[in-house]
Amino acid sequence: MTIPHQFLSHVSVDELLKIYADANVLYKEDENFRKRCRETKIAMESGSEEHLKTWRLICERTTEYCEQINEKFRIEYDYMVGESQFTEEARKLSLKLMDVFPAAKSEDGYLLSADRYRIKIPYYSENGENKLFSTYLTRDLAALFDRKEVVRELSHVFYIVDKGQFEHFRKLKLLHDKLEPESTFEIVHTQFGRVIGMSSRRNRILSMDSLLQDATDLVIQQLSQLSTTKSSPETFLSVAEQIAAASLAVNCFSYKRTSDYRFNWGNVVSFKGKSALYMLMTCAKVRSIFRTLGVDLDEDSLQFHEDVLFSEEKSQITSLIVDLMVELFNYESVLLECYETLDLFKLTDYLYHVCKRVTRLHGVAHCLNEVCVKKQSNRLLAFRSALLVIEHGLKVIGVTPLDKI
């Protein structure tokens, strides 16, 4: 069973996803199709160049697609390698595992007794000889040993995979530790929850580019309602695309890492609530104040006048500035907690609350028409301090702040 190479040279990732989904359904329903799938897997494991060429083309198309998506989300890798590249190494490891764990032979494979787990290593017959299949588990194990060779002095190996694969990584750690009991690094399964109800507004097979396009359309709809849009017609679409990517990222990090959550477009692209659009709009408002006044954000010409803040300033503004400063003081501890838990939920929540404080202050602490230079300086310092924290936090999340929206 092969796919014509000329077809793969033009097929989109959306179409590949549909083929994959349809094949999964057919595999469950059609015995003849299951047989053909097994024959194809045997051909690939046996080194059939025709089948492997097809597989390499699929990998190339999906890798190219992932790189394009990663660029939009500012994601970079030192190097990228797939576990399917470790087929031969995986089979060799299977032989080692059969020497380490008790193995019972069945009609189509060996069953290893590894503590409380029963791990199956299937085989196929070729020229009267039984040959081992590689499996997801043994390929992951082979890839782990490869990482140890590529990256010396490892302390941790993090697997960022959904929580449904908890048992898989328990087995991986068990097998690795049994083969290399002297190993000192730690294998960590960094679990995340699943998104419930996520679908494309175009009723297509779900892919990141279709989600990004849907998000961009919604951002354009929202921005078109603004009378204060500062983006030029030449940059409007680019700004909308950046906000769309930011919206999906912030929405993802608005929930605890291990929580399942229900996807809602109304929360993803919104001027209110814990959304990227609200946070980016807050930054743009503050930058607009400095731009209008001609004050350089990077200069330290602004001075803090404590006596004025507590004796001459309006009590409401004084209270809002003090509350904002207290909130900003907590930023370092929030970052540390996110680092220790590998969870950006607290940071996203924190940035949202800082933005709310800035919004309240912006509503009463006017800078443009303030005649008292000392009051104006205090207010600008509060806004600048908040802006630096918000924009730094957004960069940690992977969002690039915008000068204008």
Side-chain angles (χ1 to χ4, degrees):
M1 181 174 61
T2 59
I3 301 174
H5 296 158
Q6 62 270 25
F7 169 75
L8 286 174
S9 62
H10 297 94
V11 69
S12 68
V13 171
D14 277 2
E15 289 169 324
L16 283 176
L17 285 170
K18 188 175 189 308
I19 291 170
Y20 175 72
D22 292 345
N24 269 328
V25 173
L26 194 58
Y27 185 86
K28 296 174 182 178
E29 299 174 349
D30 191 324
E31 175 63 34
N32 184 53
F33 184 73
R34 285 197 294 272
K35 181 181 178 181
R36 290 165 61 200
C37 288
R38 180 177 173 81
E39 291 170 352
T40 300
K41 181 170 176 58
I42 291 173
M44 292 179 68
E45 295 273 345
S46 302
S48 166
E49 184 55 35
E50 181 70 15
H51 290 81
L52 291 176
K53 182 178 180 181
T54 300
W55 176 246
R56 284 193 293 269
L57 284 170
I58 293 173
C59 290
E60 288 172 6
R61 292 308 306 274
T62 53
T63 299
E64 178 184 337
Y65 169 81
C66 288
E67 288 174 348
Q68 292 171 354
I69 296 299
N70 288 339
E71 184 178 354
K72 293 179 180 179
F73 285 96
R74 309 292 193 271
I75 298 171
E76 296 181 3
Y77 294 97
D78 293 329
Y79 77 104
M80 188 184 298
V81 61
E83 38 113 328
S84 63
Q85 296 178 226
F86 298 98
T87 299
E88 187 58 38
E89 293 86 347
R91 283 200 291 260
K92 293 176 181 177
L93 283 173
S94 294
L95 292 172
K96 288 184 179 180
L97 292 171
M98 290 170 64
D99 290 335
V100 172
F101 296 102
K105 187 176 180 181
S106 65
E107 288 186 5
D108 58 352
Y110 296 92
L111 202 60
L112 305 185
S113 297
D115 290 358
R116 65 187 183 89
Y117 295 109
R118 297 296 177 265
I119 299 172
K120 186 175 182 179
I121 300 180
Y123 62 75
Y124 61 96
S125 296
E126 185 177 76
N127 299 325
E129 180 184 357
N130 290 336
K131 294 190 175 182
L132 300 178
F133 277 117
S134 67
T135 66
Y136 172 37
L137 181 58
T138 56
R139 288 193 298 272
D140 250 2
L141 187 60
L144 175 58
F145 281 111
D146 176 74
R147 290 187 187 98
K148 290 175 63 177
E149 292 297 320
V150 174
V151 185
R152 299 292 183 174
E153 300 182 0
L154 279 174
S155 61
H156 294 77
V157 176
F158 294 94
Y159 288 89
I160 306 173
V161 186
D162 77 88
K163 60 186 179 182
Q165 297 199 44
F166 173 74
E167 291 292 342
H168 170 80
F169 291 102
R170 289 279 300 267
K171 295 174 185 177
L172 181 68
K173 177 174 172 54
L174 171 65
L175 299 185
H176 172 268
D177 292 350
K178 196 71 174 179
L179 291 176
E180 288 207 358
E182 302 301 320
S183 180
T184 57
F185 71 81
E186 185 177 354
I187 297 172
V188 182
H189 177 200
T190 307
Q191 305 177 39
F192 59 82
R194 296 181 178 180
V195 184
I196 303 168
M198 179 181 276
S199 62
S200 169
R201 297 167 70 237
R202 290 170 170 74
N203 297 316
R204 296 197 304 255
I205 296 295
L206 188 64
S207 63
M208 278 308 304
D209 54 353
S210 64
L211 275 176
L212 281 167
Q213 186 57 60
D214 288 342
T216 301
D217 291 346
L218 287 173
V219 170
I220 290 173
Q221 290 177 22
Q222 294 278 40
L223 295 183
S224 64
Q225 300 172 21
L226 293 177
S227 59
T228 57
T229 300
K230 299 292 193 301
S231 300
S232 66
E234 294 78 15
T235 62
F236 183 78
L237 179 58
S238 174
V239 167
E241 289 174 342
Q242 291 180 65
I243 296 175
S247 297
L248 290 171
V250 169
N251 182 71
C252 177
F253 296 130
S254 295
Y255 303 89
K256 291 184 178 179
R257 174 166 53 79
T258 56
S259 299
D260 296 336
Y261 70 90
R262 184 164 293 281
F263 187 82
N264 185 324
W265 279 113
N267 296 332
V268 177
V269 182
S270 172
F271 286 121
K272 299 179 180 179
K274 205 184 301 184
S275 70
L277 186 54
Y278 174 57
M279 295 177 190
L280 291 170
M281 286 290 294
T282 301
C283 294
K285 285 180 182 178
V286 174
R287 284 190 167 273
S288 178
I289 295 172
F290 283 83
R291 189 167 52 249
T292 304
L293 289 172
V295 178
D296 191 342
L297 277 162
D298 297 325
E299 289 185 5
D300 292 326
S301 58
L302 297 174
Q303 295 183 357
F304 175 59
H305 304 279
E306 184 178 358
D307 56 331
V308 172
L309 179 65
F310 291 102
S311 62
E312 300 179 26
E313 184 62 272
K314 296 177 182 178
S315 59
Q316 181 187 14
I317 293 177
T318 298
S319 177
L320 289 172
I321 289 177
V322 170
D323 289 346
L324 177 60
M325 292 302 105
V326 171
E327 190 85 69
L328 297 180
F329 181 78
N330 295 325
Y331 182 52
E332 187 175 340
S333 63
V334 171
L335 283 181
L336 180 60
E337 183 176 354
C338 291
Y339 174 78
E340 291 175 342
T341 61
L342 297 177
D343 194 344
L344 288 173
F345 163 75
K346 282 291 181 67
L347 176 58
T348 309
D349 192 62
Y350 171 81
L351 293 177
Y352 167 60
H353 284 95
V354 172
C355 286
K356 285 207 301 183
R357 293 191 182 280
V358 171
T359 299
R360 286 197 289 268
L361 183 62
H362 184 269
V364 294
H366 307 299
C367 297
L368 303 183
N369 299 320
E370 179 53 58
V371 295
C372 176
V373 175
K374 292 182 179 181
K375 288 182 181 180
Q376 185 189 65
S377 182
N378 284 345
R379 296 173 186 180
L380 288 174
L381 276 172
F383 283 124
R384 187 178 73 171
S385 300
L387 181 68
L388 291 174
V389 168
I390 296 168
E391 291 191 344
H392 184 274
L394 288 173
K395 290 176 183 177
V396 171
I397 292 174
V399 173
T400 301
L402 299 170
D403 185 51
K404 300 177 182 178
I405 294 180

